[in-house]
Each structure stands twice: as C-alpha cells, then as structure tokens.
Amino acid sequence: MAPAEILSGKIVSAQVRERLKQQVVEMREKFPGFRPGLAILQVGNRDDSNLYINMKLKAAAEIGISANHIKLPNTATEADVLKCIASLNGDPAVHGFIVQLPLDSDKPINTEKITNAVAPEKDVDGLSSINAGKLSRGDLGDCFIPCTPKGCMELIRQTGIQVAGKRAVVVGRSKIVGAPMHDLLLWNHATVTTCHSKTSTLAEEVGKADILVVAAGKAEMVKGEWIKPGAIVIDCGINHVPDSTKASGKRVVGDVAYSTAKEKASYITPVPGGVGPMTVAMLMQSTVESAQRFLEKFQPGKWNIQYNQLTLKMPVPSDIEISQSYTPKPIDQVAREVGLLPDEVELYGQTKAKVHLSALKRLKNQPDGKYVVVTGITPTPLGEGKSTTTVGLVQALGAHLHQNVFACVRQPSQGPTFGIKGGAAGGGYCQVIPMEEFNLHLTGDIHAITAANNLVAAAVDARIFHELTQTDQALYKRLVPSDNGVRKFSDIQIRRLQKLGINKTDPMALTEEEVNLFVRLDIDPGTITWQRVLDTNDRFLRKITIGQSPTEKGFSRMAQFDITVSSEIMAVLALSDGLDDMKKRLGRMVVASSKKGEPVTTDDLGVTGALAVLMKDAVKPNLMQTLEGTPVFVHAGPFANIAHGNSSVLADKIALKLVGKDGFVVTEAGFGADIGMEKFFNIKCRYSGLRPHVVVLVATVRALKMHGGGPAVTAGVPLPKEYMEENLQLLAKGCSNLNKQIQNARMFGVPVVVAVNAFKTDTKAEMALVVQQAKEAGAFDAVVCTHWAEGGKGAVALAQAVQRASQIPSNFRFLYDVKLPVIDKIRIIAQQIYGASDIELLPEAQEKVALYTKQGFGNLPICMAKTHLSLSHDPEQKGAPTGFILPIRDIRASVGAGFLYPLVGTMSTMPGLPTRPCFYDIDLDPVSGEVNGLF
C-alpha cells in the first residue's frame, strides 16, 4: 500500500484565508465602511498566550478583519472580566470575540462562567454551553463550532471522501475538541464511537475507524499497527518528547505514531503543520460567518428596532389613559437597538436611563445625521402642538418610514405641570412615555440644579456676612486654615490668586495688601443678580426679605425666588459640550459686581468644584421612548425667554452620531420661531458648531384666526364661536404671522416645511388655505398633519416632506456677528426678526451696556427676553406688527451660559398658581400605585 497522502494544514489554511480575504472585500464593496470585527480578551501576560494572540492578530490583519486585543492585568477579578465581556457583547462593531484561555489571574475566576458570559451569537470559539447544546442537537447552521473540530472537518473535506455512512472514531472527550468532534461527525451522518484513555479495547476500536480523530493529549498513544488500512487520520495532539539531536533537547510529536501510521492510512495530518494552522483559520472563518449573519439581520447604519403598534380609538382618550395603555419596551432594549453599549447606559428603573458621555467619544468619527428643528408661529396661550408634532414626526420617520431617528426634547418643569399648562410629553397618540415619569422627577436633573443654584446663593450671602464681621487676618485664617501647622491653598484659591495677578503658592508669602485682595470679594449687595430657585409655581416668593434672624446681625436684603428652570445653571447644562466645558461655564457664572464694578464669579466664591460634583450626573442625557417605540433624549429645560429655550447640545450631538449619516435628529425650540428658533440658531448652533438641515414650522388654524383679529384665547375658557366655525377671511388675514415666521426661518438659509396641526373643528377649505399661503410665502412644502389622533401615521406626509427638504444643500448663516456692539446686535434682532422700526434703551439698560462692555462681555450673543404671545413687546399686538419701537428696560448677563439677555417689558421668572391648578386632577391609586388624572 502506498504511503498516506499528507493533509497539510498550512496549505489548506492558506486557501481558507485567501477565500475569506475575498469575502471581506465583497462585503466592503457592498457595504462601504463595514469590516468584520474580532475582539480577543486576555487576562494576564502568559508568553504562550501572547504567541497565540499574535498569530490571530496577524491572520486577521491579512484577511481584512478589524481585530482588537483587550488585555486585563493579572490582578483582574471575575467581575472585571464579566464587565468587559458585557461591553463587548453590546458592541455592534464586534461580530466575534474570544476569551484567551487559560485566564492568568491572581484572583479566583470560574472559567466556565466566563465562557458562558460570551453572547452565543459572538462566541466564535464555540465554547459556550448554548453553542455546545445547539451542536449536540444538530443545529449546525445556528451555532458556532469550536475551531479545532471545525478545522478537522475542513481537512477531512479536502480528501474528497464522503463522511456520510463512514465509521468514525474520536479518541478524546474534551469539551474543546473530543466532544464537539463527535457531534460534528455524527450530524454529518457518520457512525461515531468516542474512546478515551480508559477505553479497554482502544486498539480494537481504532482498527474499525474509516475516519480517526485523535485528541488525547498523550504522545504517540495510537500506534500505526492499530490503524485500519486506508483510514483518514487526523492528529490533534501537540506533545514534546526528548530528542538529543535537537538544539532544544526535545521535539514535537502528535498523539499518533506518525512514522508507522502513514504507512497504513490513506490521508494523515502531520504534527506540526497539520491541525494547528487550521485552528486559527477557522477562528477567522467563524468571525467572517458571524459578520455575514449580522449583515443578513442588520443593514450597517440601520437600526434593528422593534416598533409598537398603536390601537387607535375614537374619540381620542386622555393623554394619561393613552400613555398607561401601552407598555414601554425595557429601556436597556431601546439602548441596544440604537447602538449604545451596556457600559454607556445607566438604568433608572425599566423605562428611563442616563447615557454616559463616553458614547460621544466612542462615536466621534461617525458622520452626523440630518438635524431638524421644530418651531412654531406665534402661539395662543394654549400652545399649538410643537411637542406633539415633534413626537409625531419621529414616530412617522421611524415606525412608518423605517429611518433611524431620535427626538431630543426639553425636560419639563414641575411648576407648569402642577400649575396651568400641565405636562409637556406631547399629546394624543404622540407622546413620550411613561408620561408621568417624563413630567415628574425623571432622573433628578432639575433637583440637582436646584441644589447647585441654591448653594451659590447661600455662598454669596455667607461671604458678604463673613466679610462684614471679620478682619482680613481672621478671614485669611479661616479661608486658608492650618492643618498640623501647614497652610495650603486649594486649586480654586490658586486660580483666584492668578486672577488677581498674585503669582504665589505659599500662604505665608502674601503681603497684607495681597491678603486683603484675596479675602475681600467686596460684593455690592445692590448688584446681586443670583437668586434662589424652586421648581414650584409660588407667587409669594417673587419678593422676599432674607437675613431677618438675629444671628445675621442686621444684614438683611430684598431677594426673590425664581423657578428652577430659569436658573443660569440650567442654561449652562443645555449649552455644555462635555463635563470639562460644563465645569468651566459653571466657574464663569457672574453673581454680582464688587463695589469697584468688577464681576464676581462662582469661581471667586470657591464653589465651582462643588457645583460640578452636584451636576456630574445631570450632564448625562436621559433616554426614554415614544408610544411607537422610537428613542428620545430628554435633557435640560431652560426657559425660552430669559434663556434660550432648547434641549441640550450633548443630547443632540450623541443622537446625531447614533442615527448615522442617513438618519434624523428632531429637536424642538421653545415658543414661536421669533424666540426659540432664533436662539436655537444664534446661540445653540453657534456654541455647538452643528448646522441644521430643516425647519419644521407648526401652525394651527386656531392661532392664525387669532392673529387675524379673532377674540382672545384664554386657557381654561371655552373657545369663542369664531374658532369653531369656518372663517376664511379671518384666517387669511392671520396668515401674516405665518408668512413672517417663514421669512424669519429662511433668513438663516434653512428650508422650511410648514406642519398644519389639524384640529377636528378645522375645515378642509381652511387647511387648504393655510397650505397655499405657506407655499406662497416661500415654504419648501406645507402639509396637513393628523398625528394627535393617528400617531406617526398622521405625520407620514410631513416626514416625507422633511426627507425631501433635507436633501437641499444648506446655506445656514447666523443673523449677526457677535463682535458687533451690544446695541447693534439687539437692533438687528428687533428689526429683522420682530419687525420693529428701532429700539429704545431705558437708562438702566444703557448702564448695563456700558458695564458689560467694560467687563469684557460685549461679544456674547444676545438672548432676548420678551413675550411669546406677540412678535412685538405687547402681547395684545397680533399678526405681524411693524413700525413699533421695542423698549429695552434692562440687560442682564448669563456669562457662564454665554449670552446677554435684554429684558423687553415686564415678566416674572416665578409663575403663580391659577385659581384651579392642574393638581386638582392628579391623584395616585393607592392599590396599583398608578398616577391618575390629567397631565
């Protein structure tokens, strides 16, 4: 009989790698930018493991697989390894990963627990119990097979001999080779016998084998004379035996006596160079197979997201009835669906989560999606449905048009929730759910802002008190106390010294004059602009006297409470682009002026670090979902009058990365386009660097009739008959406001799509007139929407119009150059956005212009604080008034947030409760724990 033909693993594995290389090329041609991803997790630093890993990394690079080697120290605990595995399980860029065994750790680690923690669909080593179970059941197309048995089967196939019907013998029963090899041969229709070192008739069993696979781990255990003539012999063993002829004093042999076995077998694998090279090749093949399975399920850049089917009812039930009739998906599922990793998500129960800023860092090289802002015409006091339209639009884009889409909305204040307005989660079949969670505490961000704001307020008054009652030296001893005879400046005190021009770090080296400069902020109480806040409507806190206790030694002053969302810290949160930026902004906040007219900041008070600590969790965006299962970021909620009225920059940036270049991020700007949209462009986009693609302008027949001269619309009062009956003349006249707001949006070079939010009292002729007027005014398109009653289905036409508008090249531009004088910037906004003929600065405002310019704040953007009920300063002037003089009664500075806000007319930053507040309708079921009533 002729000697056996050699089955060279080197040759076959090279062929496999070449085939895989071509498959990867084809993948990348079909899906540009896509690469199969392999992760190798190693614990410790064993030399043999390093050698094997380098072989795998080299093979991956040759084929075109993106391989990542994660190395944990040998001090890693089981929990450390499991945490790393969880992260890799959730990473959509990793299609396969292996845990390099053995685990070289000083700590006890359960290897089986570790291998079973690997997601079965990524377990390209095939070592998890789930993959082993599927193999044992014969589910070969739905599992991964351990690489060595898989390589053995590939070598057997190379012989061209059919496995089916043959008698196969496997010597060895390990979980890695022997047991899975038995199953693999069995399900390829061989008759299989498994033997091992305790098999008493081993030679007899081996002699029956047409196919023999030996993986016993014992040098030359199987003798050549045992082998059936013409058998296929696959030797998986690697053993070292003494050999004085070798420089190392030893040589490598297999589990089969090769020299005699090759004389009887028809095919045989050598050792080395047989099965060994195939193991790495099969790991690469399994990784490519995993990537192919991924591509069959997911299009790269397309989310595999589960949408909720709405069951529409007529008449439409109350918002909270609708919200509570749908069970939200677990929020960790939503996070996975949009491509967030497990360690980027911090769960707050089942329906809300915070997203870590590390997600933005990970995704920094991803292209941004399309950026859409929803705004509105000048509203009635009832609001015209911007939030509802925002949610309806994302539900249409996602659940109906199958686009990646994120909504980014503001967190509502509890003041309006329990006051006159109610909740802000949208309405009807377009809501963020659960609405009671959305409208109440959420994850505590507003409470964190309340605590941080009031810490600053307390620090201001305490500092004035201590400076009034202590000498310079007494203050210095307390500000820089001795610890075991050593005095040391804190970091924030070093910054204050540097600001004062004192370049010293030794507390003992300061002169008396320098000590005086250091300890005396010398705050002028009449210039304090920082107020205490509370997230409740309470009119009796609008003006208060503080410091009336005898312990305050006669230091009292008039002060006030504002509502929390008007705090500058809320605006800082909304405009920050990271933790470091937020901390810097917090430190720049100006709370008052000194008696010399110099600005006093929170950094001067020494409170910056404490504020950052209080805000460290609030800076993370909150993840929720809509009724139809599309993702929502709820983050920050600054007022739209004294602040810029937009959700956070961070939420928008993370969302734009997650949706990808063909996806959409839809955010909402507060009040009408003259306020929220103008500030979105001139303030938010200026600081974020983001450029919008489309403006969606929400209009209602009701509001346009009001602008045409209709009777006053009042919350809590039935609408007059003019709003319940068709009146085209009144409507046409009111379209002047729509036309002006379209013009305002186009002034920034962004296409406008008008969403006509339909009410059941609107007639077809009225809605057609609004659509016509909008198009004639220059809107890219105008669409009637019925999303409140129909969910995303009622906004599909709007979504399609937004898609088309987003394809137009953006010519976005700012309205003004921030380097212009303060008065000129105010005048540009007043004339071009509001329609004023000019502005008039009252004496107090003139003084502030001079003061802020002198203090170096003249180059900040402008954030106009005016009524939202009119384009002018007078809420009674409807339509599109022109020729009026806009009065500026005062100007204030939010230096940390980064804008000056002129006050137009009078307004309160602490709303009051109406005669019948919303809380009359809110209750808790003591049995179920459900919130009842209207939000």
Side-chain angles (χ1 to χ4, degrees):
M1 179 176 175
E5 189 173 327
I6 307 302
L7 289 172
S8 170
K10 290 182 180 179
I11 294 172
V12 176
S13 66
Q15 294 169 350
V16 170
R17 289 198 299 270
E18 196 59 38
R19 183 179 73 242
L20 293 175
K21 188 188 301 184
Q22 185 57 39
Q23 288 176 2
V24 171
V25 169
E26 291 170 3
M27 279 186 199
R28 299 188 69 180
E29 287 174 352
K30 189 174 180 180
F31 302 102
F34 179 81
R35 288 180 73 186
L38 172 67
I40 303 171
L41 175 59
Q42 179 185 12
V43 179
N45 194 36
R46 283 175 61 117
D47 289 339
D48 55 350
S49 291
N50 291 334
L51 177 64
Y52 298 143
I53 289 169
N54 286 334
M55 290 167 56
K56 293 165 186 174
L57 293 174
K58 183 179 178 182
E62 177 191 338
I63 292 165
I65 294 171
S66 175
N68 183 21
H69 179 199
I70 302 101
K71 200 168 188 177
L72 299 180
N74 60 7
T75 55
T77 64
E78 186 174 271
D80 295 330
V81 180
L82 290 171
K83 182 180 178 182
C84 190
I85 290 173
S87 177
L88 292 167
N89 281 341
D91 190 343
V94 173
H95 306 108
F97 83 87
I98 66 168
V99 178
Q100 184 68 40
L101 300 177
L103 299 167
D104 179 25
S105 176
D106 296 341
K107 307 290 191 296
I109 296 180
N110 184 326
T111 300
E112 186 169 358
K113 185 175 181 180
I114 295 301
T115 54
N116 280 325
V118 177
E121 67 273 15
K122 297 188 178 188
D123 174 29
V124 287
D125 248 349
L127 298 182
S128 69
S129 296
I130 290 177
N131 276 319
K134 287 183 176 181
L135 175 58
S136 69
R137 292 190 326 187
D139 297 336
L140 304 189
D142 188 35
C143 72
F144 285 110
I145 298 162
C147 297
T148 299
K150 189 172 183 176
C152 292
M153 282 302 299
E154 184 65 29
L155 289 169
I156 292 168
R157 286 191 194 98
Q158 292 291 317
T159 67
I161 296 172
Q162 285 281 351
V163 174
K166 297 294 188 295
R167 182 179 292 275
V169 173
V170 178
V171 181
R173 54 184 172 178
S174 72
K175 293 179 181 179
I176 296 175
V177 183
M181 193 71 232
H182 171 280
D183 294 335
L184 197 53
L185 287 163
L186 180 67
W187 293 111
N188 277 275
H189 311 298
T191 300
V192 188
T193 301
T194 296
C195 300
H196 44 79
S197 59
K198 305 297 183 188
T199 302
S200 59
T201 57
L202 181 60
E204 181 182 336
E205 296 298 335
V206 167
K208 299 174 184 176
D210 300 314
I211 299 170
L212 175 65
V213 180
V214 186
K218 189 173 181 181
E220 300 183 329
M221 173 184 177
V222 174
K223 309 305 179 187
E225 57 267 24
W226 297 357
I227 294 169
K228 179 180 180 180
I232 300 170
V233 178
I234 308 294
D235 188 351
C236 302
I238 298 179
N239 309 283
H240 293 89
V241 296
D243 188 339
S244 59
T245 66
K246 301 291 183 182
S248 63
K250 56 186 178 181
R251 62 186 170 90
V252 176
V253 299
D255 290 353
V256 177
Y258 180 77
S259 59
T260 54
K262 71 178 181 179
E263 300 301 326
K264 297 192 71 175
S266 60
Y267 294 91
I268 191 168
T269 57
V271 177
V275 174
M278 293 300 297
T279 301
V280 174
M282 292 301 103
L283 174 64
M284 299 301 121
Q285 182 168 307
S286 291
T287 301
V288 172
E289 287 172 0
S290 181
Q292 288 170 330
R293 292 177 191 176
F294 175 84
L295 290 174
E296 288 170 6
K297 287 185 179 179
F298 312 101
Q299 294 181 44
K302 280 286 186 185
W303 297 339
N304 184 32
I305 189 166
Q306 172 193 324
Y307 297 110
N308 299 329
Q309 192 78 26
L310 296 181
T311 303
L312 305 177
K313 293 182 181 179
M314 291 298 290
V316 177
S318 71
D319 291 349
I320 197 160
E321 284 180 73
I322 293 172
S323 174
Q324 292 181 344
S325 67
Y326 290 89
T327 302
K329 294 179 290 187
I331 201 64
D332 58 337
Q333 177 185 332
V334 177
R336 286 195 304 274
E337 288 174 342
V338 302
L340 288 164
L341 306 185
D343 59 1
E344 293 169 345
V345 180
E346 189 176 330
L347 301 180
Y348 280 63
Q350 293 294 310
T351 59
K352 53 192 176 180
K354 279 198 165 290
V355 174
H356 290 237
L357 305 189
S358 58
L360 185 58
K361 184 178 180 182
R362 173 176 65 87
L363 298 166
K364 64 181 179 181
N365 294 323
Q366 294 287 336
D368 287 346
K370 306 290 187 183
Y371 198 26
V372 180
V373 60
V374 177
T375 185
I377 61 171
T378 305
T380 69
L382 306 178
E384 308 317 308
K386 291 194 310 297
S387 298
T388 306
T389 302
T390 299
V391 176
L393 175 56
V394 297
Q395 289 183 167
L397 283 165
H400 298 269
L401 299 181
H402 305 292
Q403 302 295 305
N404 293 356
V405 62
F406 239 107
C408 292
V409 299
R410 289 183 292 167
Q411 180 183 353
S413 163
Q414 287 180 181
T417 295
F418 290 113
I420 194 168
K421 183 183 177 185
Y429 288 100
C430 297
Q431 296 186 49
V432 180
I433 58 171
M435 68 172 297
E436 59 269 38
E437 297 286 345
F438 176 92
N439 285 310
L440 296 177
H441 308 282
L442 197 57
T443 56
D445 294 352
I446 292 181
H447 301 315
I449 292 166
T450 302
N453 184 99
N454 293 342
L455 179 63
V456 176
V460 170
D461 289 310
R463 188 57 176 261
I464 294 172
F465 172 78
H466 291 307
E467 288 187 24
L468 284 172
T469 57
Q470 297 181 53
T471 65
D472 288 357
Q473 285 302 320
L475 282 168
Y476 194 54
K477 285 180 181 178
R478 286 173 171 82
L479 287 170
V480 192
S482 173
D483 183 8
N484 293 324
V486 178
R487 301 173 78 179
K488 185 180 178 182
F489 291 123
S490 66
D491 291 343
I492 202 165
Q493 289 176 328
I494 293 288
R495 288 204 299 273
R496 172 153 173 78
L497 288 168
Q498 291 170 345
K499 179 179 176 180
L500 294 169
I502 302 171
N503 296 313
K504 296 178 181 179
T505 57
D506 180 1
M508 305 305 294
L510 268 62
T511 65
E512 286 188 9
E513 181 182 358
E514 289 169 340
V515 167
N516 175 267
L517 286 171
F518 175 74
V519 302
R520 300 281 171 190
L521 299 181
D522 205 22
I523 294 170
D524 180 353
T527 66
I528 295 173
T529 55
W530 197 268
Q531 309 298 344
R532 288 162 173 81
V533 298
L534 189 68
D535 196 37
T536 303
N537 287 6
D538 191 343
R539 66 176 68 245
F540 287 93
L541 293 177
R542 290 172 178 170
K543 287 294 176 187
I544 59 172
T545 304
I546 61 172
Q548 292 187 317
S549 170
T551 54
E552 274 54 76
K553 301 180 181 180
F555 172 64
S556 64
R557 67 180 181 89
M558 294 294 292
Q560 68 187 60
F561 269 82
D562 295 336
I563 198 161
T564 298
V565 291
S566 71
S567 169
E568 184 178 351
I569 295 176
M570 177 63 89
V572 164
L573 174 65
L575 289 170
S576 297
D577 69 1
L579 195 57
D580 184 58
D581 182 49
M582 182 181 71
K583 184 177 176 183
K584 289 175 181 175
R585 288 175 180 271
L586 291 170
R588 291 198 300 264
M589 295 188 302
V590 174
V591 299
S593 293
S594 70
K595 290 172 183 175
K596 293 179 181 178
E598 297 296 325
V600 178
T601 67
T602 42
D603 219 44
D604 294 326
L605 286 167
V607 75
T608 304
L611 298 180
V613 169
L614 286 169
M615 294 293 293
K616 69 180 177 66
D617 291 318
V619 77
K620 306 166 192 169
N622 304 298
L623 180 65
M624 295 189 77
Q625 63 192 287
T626 68
L627 279 168
E628 295 192 50
T630 57
V632 182
F633 275 139
V634 185
H635 198 218
F639 255 26
N641 47 25
I642 68 165
H644 64 291
N646 287 269
S647 60
S648 79
V649 165
L650 278 168
D652 290 0
K653 285 190 170 184
I654 296 173
L656 284 163
K657 295 297 183 187
L658 288 170
V659 299
K661 67 182 180 66
D662 296 321
F664 291 83
V665 170
V666 181
T667 189
E668 178 194 342
F671 294 152
D674 55 309
I675 300 180
M677 182 198 71
E678 181 270 315
K679 295 172 183 179
F680 171 82
F681 289 143
N682 282 322
I683 298 175
K684 184 177 181 179
C685 290
R686 198 185 296 268
Y687 282 122
S688 70
L690 300 174
R691 297 295 177 262
H693 294 82
V694 184
V695 170
V696 173
L697 184 71
V698 180
T700 63
V701 168
R702 176 183 67 193
L704 292 173
K705 285 181 176 178
M706 178 193 71
H707 287 296
V713 175
T714 307
V717 177
L719 286 171
K721 64 180 180 63
E722 287 85 350
Y723 298 100
M724 313 301 287
E725 301 170 353
E726 184 176 287
N727 190 327
L728 298 178
Q729 184 177 356
L730 193 66
L731 180 61
K733 185 180 177 184
C735 282
S736 61
N737 186 273
L738 172 65
N739 297 347
K740 175 57 179 163
Q741 298 288 33
I742 292 171
Q743 177 191 335
N744 284 344
R746 295 187 67 203
M747 211 176 289
F748 293 90
V750 183
V752 182
V753 175
V754 172
V756 183
N757 189 16
F759 292 1
K760 62 182 178 181
T761 54
D762 301 340
T763 68
K764 288 183 178 179
E766 287 175 328
M767 291 185 287
L769 177 60
V770 177
V771 168
Q772 177 190 339
Q773 290 277 331
K775 291 180 178 179
E776 290 176 359
F780 172 85
D781 203 351
V783 180
V784 174
C785 305
T786 55
H787 47 276
W788 179 80
E790 297 184 304
K793 176 186 172 184
V796 167
L798 173 63
Q800 291 169 333
V802 167
Q803 283 183 298
R804 293 193 302 273
S806 71
Q807 302 304 315
I808 299 174
S810 177
N811 296 309
F812 177 71
R813 54 189 173 271
F814 298 119
L815 188 65
Y816 55 81
D817 186 336
V818 287
K819 295 178 182 177
L820 289 172
V822 173
I823 294 175
D824 290 355
K825 289 182 283 193
I826 297 172
R827 181 176 287 112
I828 289 171
I829 296 171
Q831 292 178 335
Q832 296 192 33
I833 299 295
Y834 306 154
S837 60
D838 206 348
I839 61 173
E840 179 186 12
L841 270 68
L842 301 184
E844 193 169 357
Q846 292 176 19
E847 291 173 9
K848 292 294 180 60
V849 169
L851 174 66
Y852 293 144
T853 303
K854 176 186 173 185
Q855 292 180 337
F857 307 140
N859 287 345
L860 293 176
I862 300 298
C863 182
M864 300 290 281
K866 79 168 188 71
T867 178
H868 63 290
L869 298 174
S870 172
L871 281 162
S872 75
H873 58 286
D874 180 359
E876 301 304 317
Q877 287 195 40
K878 304 302 183 182
T882 58
F884 57 91
I885 304 295
L886 191 76
I888 311 297
R889 68 176 179 86
D890 195 5
I891 301 176
R892 294 178 187 168
S894 287
V895 178
F899 51 75
L900 302 177
Y901 59 100
L903 303 180
V904 181
T906 59
M907 63 187 64
S908 172
T909 49
M910 172 55 83
L913 290 173
T915 305
R916 192 183 193 283
C918 291
F919 60 63
Y920 273 78
D921 300 307
I922 298 172
D923 201 359
L924 183 73
D925 186 318
V927 178
S928 68
E930 281 193 348
V931 176
N932 298 321
L934 300 175
F935 270 100

